[in-house]
Coordinates of all heavy atoms in Angstrom, one line a residue:
L21 N 90.2 109.3 120.0 CA 91.1 108.7 119.0 C 91.7 107.3 119.5 O 91.9 106.5 118.6 CB 92.2 109.6 118.6 CG 91.8 110.8 117.8 CD1 93.0 111.8 117.6 CD2 91.3 110.4 116.4
T22 N 91.8 107.2 120.8 CA 92.4 105.9 121.3 C 91.4 104.7 121.1 O 91.8 103.6 121.2 CB 92.8 106.0 122.8 OG1 91.6 106.2 123.5 CG2 93.7 107.1 123.0
R23 N 90.1 105.0 120.8 CA 89.1 104.0 120.6 C 89.0 103.6 119.1 O 88.1 102.9 118.7 CB 87.8 104.5 121.1 CG 87.7 104.6 122.6 CD 87.5 103.2 123.3 NE 86.2 102.7 122.9 CZ 85.1 103.0 123.5 NH1 85.1 103.8 124.6 NH2 83.9 102.4 123.2
S24 N 89.9 104.2 118.3 CA 89.9 103.9 116.8 C 91.3 103.7 116.3 O 92.3 103.6 117.1 CB 89.2 105.0 116.1 OG 89.9 106.2 116.3
K25 N 91.5 103.6 115.0 CA 92.8 103.5 114.4 C 93.1 104.7 113.6 O 92.9 104.7 112.3 CB 92.9 102.2 113.6 CG 92.8 100.9 114.4 CD 93.0 99.7 113.5 CE 92.9 98.4 114.4 NZ 93.1 97.2 113.5
P26 N 93.5 105.8 114.2 CA 93.6 107.1 113.4 C 94.8 107.0 112.5 O 95.8 106.3 112.7 CB 93.8 108.1 114.5 CG 94.5 107.3 115.6 CD 93.8 106.0 115.6
T27 N 94.7 107.8 111.4 CA 95.8 108.0 110.5 C 96.8 109.0 111.0 O 96.4 109.8 112.0 CB 95.3 108.4 109.1 OG1 94.7 109.7 109.2 CG2 94.3 107.4 108.6
Q28 N 97.9 109.1 110.5 CA 98.9 110.1 110.9 C 98.3 111.5 110.6 O 98.6 112.5 111.3 CB 100.2 110.0 110.2 CG 101.3 110.8 110.8 CD 102.7 110.4 110.4 OE1 102.9 110.1 109.2 NE2 103.6 110.4 111.4
K29 N 97.5 111.6 109.5 CA 96.9 112.9 109.1 C 95.9 113.3 110.2 O 95.9 114.5 110.6 CB 96.2 112.8 107.8 CG 95.5 114.0 107.3 CD 94.8 113.8 106.0 CE 94.1 115.1 105.6 NZ 93.4 114.9 104.2
Q30 N 95.2 112.4 110.8 CA 94.2 112.8 111.9 C 95.0 113.2 113.1 O 94.5 114.1 113.8 CB 93.3 111.6 112.1 CG 92.3 111.3 111.0 CD 91.5 110.0 111.2 OE1 92.0 109.0 111.7 NE2 90.2 110.1 110.9
I31 N 96.1 112.5 113.4 CA 96.9 112.9 114.6 C 97.5 114.2 114.4 O 97.5 115.1 115.3 CB 97.9 111.8 114.9 CG1 97.2 110.4 115.2 CG2 98.9 112.2 116.0 CD1 98.2 109.3 115.3
A32 N 98.0 114.5 113.2 CA 98.6 115.8 112.9 C 97.5 116.9 113.0 O 97.8 118.0 113.5 CB 99.2 115.8 111.5
E33 N 96.3 116.6 112.6 CA 95.2 117.5 112.7 C 94.9 117.9 114.2 O 94.7 119.0 114.5 CB 93.9 116.9 112.1 CG 92.7 117.9 112.2 CD 91.4 117.2 111.7 OE1 91.3 116.0 111.9 OE2 90.6 117.9 111.2
L34 N 94.9 116.8 115.0 CA 94.7 117.1 116.5 C 95.8 118.0 117.0 O 95.5 118.9 117.7 CB 94.8 115.8 117.2 CG 94.8 115.9 118.8 CD1 93.5 116.5 119.3 CD2 95.1 114.5 119.4
A35 N 97.0 117.8 116.6 CA 98.2 118.6 117.0 C 97.9 120.1 116.6 O 98.1 121.0 117.4 CB 99.5 118.1 116.5
A36 N 97.5 120.2 115.4 CA 97.3 121.6 114.8 C 96.2 122.3 115.5 O 96.2 123.6 115.6 CB 97.1 121.5 113.3
L37 N 95.2 121.6 115.9 CA 94.0 122.2 116.5 C 94.1 122.4 118.0 O 93.2 123.0 118.6 CB 92.8 121.3 116.2 CG 92.4 121.3 114.7 CD1 91.2 120.2 114.5 CD2 91.9 122.6 114.2
S38 N 95.2 121.8 118.6 CA 95.4 122.0 120.1 C 96.0 123.3 120.4 O 96.8 123.9 119.6 CB 96.3 120.9 120.6 OG 95.7 119.6 120.3
P39 N 95.7 123.9 121.6 CA 96.4 125.1 122.0 C 97.9 124.9 122.0 O 98.3 123.8 122.5 CB 95.8 125.4 123.4 CG 94.5 124.6 123.5 CD 94.8 123.4 122.6
V40 N 98.6 125.9 121.6 CA 100.1 125.7 121.5 C 100.7 125.3 122.9 O 101.5 124.4 123.0 CB 100.7 127.0 121.0 CG1 102.3 126.9 121.1 CG2 100.3 127.3 119.6
E41 N 100.2 125.9 124.0 CA 100.7 125.7 125.3 C 100.4 124.3 125.8 O 101.0 123.8 126.8 CB 100.3 126.8 126.3 CG 98.8 126.8 126.5 CD 98.0 127.6 125.5 OE1 98.6 128.0 124.5 OE2 96.8 127.9 125.8
A42 N 99.4 123.6 125.2 CA 99.0 122.3 125.7 C 99.3 121.2 124.7 O 99.1 120.0 125.0 CB 97.5 122.3 126.0
R43 N 99.8 121.6 123.6 CA 100.0 120.6 122.5 C 100.9 119.4 122.9 O 100.5 118.2 122.6 CB 100.6 121.3 121.3 CG 100.7 120.5 120.0 CD 101.1 121.3 118.8 NE 100.0 122.3 118.6 CZ 100.3 123.5 117.9 NH1 101.5 123.8 117.5 NH2 99.3 124.3 117.7
I44 N 102.0 119.7 123.5 CA 102.9 118.6 123.8 C 102.3 117.7 124.9 O 102.4 116.4 124.8 CB 104.3 119.1 124.4 CG1 105.0 119.8 123.2 CG2 105.1 118.0 124.9 CD1 106.3 120.5 123.7
D45 N 101.6 118.2 125.8 CA 101.0 117.4 126.9 C 99.9 116.5 126.3 O 99.7 115.4 126.6 CB 100.3 118.3 127.9 CG 101.4 119.0 128.8 OD1 102.5 118.5 128.9 OD2 101.1 119.9 129.5
I46 N 99.1 117.1 125.3 CA 98.0 116.3 124.7 C 98.6 115.2 123.9 O 98.1 114.0 123.9 CB 97.1 117.2 123.9 CG1 96.3 118.2 124.8 CG2 96.2 116.4 123.0 CD1 95.5 119.3 124.1
L47 N 99.6 115.4 123.1 CA 100.2 114.4 122.3 C 100.9 113.3 123.1 O 100.9 112.1 122.8 CB 101.2 115.0 121.3 CG 100.6 115.9 120.2 CD1 101.6 116.5 119.3 CD2 99.6 115.1 119.3
T48 N 101.6 113.8 124.2 CA 102.2 112.8 125.1 C 101.1 111.9 125.8 O 101.3 110.7 125.9 CB 103.0 113.6 126.2 OG1 104.0 114.4 125.6 CG2 103.6 112.6 127.2
Y49 N 100.0 112.5 126.1 CA 98.9 111.7 126.7 C 98.4 110.7 125.7 O 98.2 109.5 126.0 CB 97.8 112.7 127.1 CG 96.4 112.0 127.3 CD1 96.2 111.2 128.4 CD2 95.4 112.1 126.3 CE1 95.0 110.6 128.6 CE2 94.2 111.5 126.5 CZ 94.0 110.7 127.6 OH 92.8 110.1 127.7
L50 N 98.2 111.2 124.4 CA 97.7 110.3 123.4 C 98.7 109.1 123.1 O 98.2 107.9 123.1 CB 97.5 111.1 122.1 CG 97.0 110.3 120.8 CD1 95.7 109.7 121.1 CD2 97.0 111.2 119.6
A51 N 100.0 109.4 123.0 CA 100.9 108.3 122.8 C 100.9 107.4 124.0 O 101.0 106.1 123.8 CB 102.3 108.9 122.6
G52 N 100.9 107.9 125.2 CA 100.9 107.1 126.4 C 99.7 106.1 126.4 O 99.8 105.0 126.8
E53 N 98.5 106.7 126.0 CA 97.3 105.9 126.0 C 97.4 104.7 125.0 O 97.0 103.6 125.2 CB 96.1 106.7 125.8 CG 95.6 107.5 127.0 CD 95.1 106.6 128.1 OE1 94.1 106.0 128.0 OE2 95.9 106.5 129.1
F54 N 97.9 105.1 123.8 CA 98.1 104.0 122.8 C 99.0 102.9 123.3 O 98.8 101.7 123.1 CB 98.7 104.6 121.5 CG 97.6 105.3 120.6 CD1 97.9 106.5 120.0 CD2 96.4 104.7 120.4 CE1 97.0 107.1 119.2 CE2 95.4 105.3 119.6 CZ 95.7 106.5 119.0
D55 N 100.1 103.3 124.0 CA 101.0 102.4 124.6 C 100.3 101.5 125.6 O 100.5 100.3 125.6 CB 102.2 103.1 125.2 CG 103.4 103.3 124.2 OD1 103.5 102.6 123.3 OD2 104.1 104.3 124.4
R56 N 99.6 102.1 126.5 CA 98.9 101.4 127.5 C 97.9 100.4 127.0 O 97.7 99.3 127.5 CB 98.1 102.4 128.4 CG 97.4 101.8 129.6 CD 96.7 102.8 130.5 NE 95.6 103.4 129.8 CZ 94.4 102.9 129.7 NH1 94.2 101.7 130.3 NH2 93.4 103.4 129.0
L57 N 97.3 100.7 125.8 CA 96.3 99.8 125.2 C 97.0 98.8 124.2 O 96.3 98.1 123.6 CB 95.3 100.7 124.4 CG 94.4 101.6 125.3 CD1 93.6 102.5 124.4 CD2 93.4 100.7 126.2
G58 N 98.3 98.9 124.2 CA 99.0 97.9 123.3 C 99.0 98.3 121.8 O 99.2 97.4 121.0
K59 N 98.6 99.5 121.5 CA 98.6 100.0 120.1 C 99.9 100.7 119.8 O 100.0 101.9 119.7 CB 97.4 100.9 119.9 CG 96.0 100.3 120.2 CD 94.9 101.2 119.9 CE 93.5 100.5 120.0 NZ 92.4 101.4 119.6
K60 N 100.9 99.9 119.6 CA 102.3 100.4 119.4 C 102.4 101.1 118.1 O 103.1 102.1 118.0 CB 103.3 99.2 119.4 CG 103.2 98.4 120.7 CD 103.5 99.2 122.0 CE 103.5 98.4 123.2 NZ 103.7 99.2 124.4
K61 N 101.7 100.7 117.0 CA 101.8 101.3 115.7 C 101.2 102.8 115.8 O 101.8 103.7 115.3 CB 101.0 100.5 114.7 CG 101.0 101.1 113.3 CD 100.2 100.3 112.4 CE 100.1 100.9 111.0 NZ 99.3 100.1 110.0

Protein backbone atom coordinates (compact mmCIF):
# COMPACT_ATOMS: atom_id res chain seq x y z
CA LEU A 1 0.00 0.00 0.00
CA THR A 2 2.92 2.36 0.56
CA ARG A 3 3.64 2.14 -3.18
CA SER A 4 0.22 3.57 -4.02
CA LYS A 5 -2.29 6.14 -2.77
CA PRO A 6 -4.78 4.07 -0.81
CA THR A 7 -8.15 5.37 0.26
CA GLN A 8 -9.23 5.35 3.88
CA LYS A 9 -11.58 2.50 2.98
CA GLN A 10 -8.63 0.39 1.78
CA ILE A 11 -6.68 1.16 4.95
CA ALA A 12 -9.70 0.27 7.08
CA GLU A 13 -9.99 -2.99 5.11
CA LEU A 14 -6.37 -3.81 5.95
CA ALA A 15 -7.09 -3.19 9.63
CA ALA A 16 -10.16 -5.41 9.56
CA LEU A 17 -8.30 -8.23 7.81
CA SER A 18 -5.27 -8.15 10.11
CA PRO A 19 -5.03 -10.48 13.13
CA VAL A 20 -6.32 -8.67 16.21
CA GLU A 21 -3.08 -9.21 18.13
CA ALA A 22 -0.99 -7.69 15.31
CA ARG A 23 -3.36 -4.98 14.08
CA ILE A 24 -1.82 -2.04 15.95
CA ASP A 25 1.72 -3.03 14.97
CA ILE A 26 0.74 -3.33 11.28
CA LEU A 27 -1.03 0.03 11.22
CA THR A 28 1.83 1.70 13.12
CA TYR A 29 4.25 0.26 10.57
CA LEU A 30 2.06 1.52 7.68
CA ALA A 31 1.82 5.04 9.11
CA GLY A 32 5.55 5.09 9.79
CA GLU A 33 6.36 4.05 6.23
CA PHE A 34 4.08 6.74 4.82
CA ASP A 35 5.83 9.31 7.02
CA ARG A 36 9.26 8.06 5.95
CA LEU A 37 8.25 8.38 2.29
CA GLY A 38 6.87 11.89 2.82
CA LYS A 39 3.27 10.81 2.28
CA LYS A 40 1.81 12.83 5.15
CA LYS A 41 -1.77 12.70 3.85
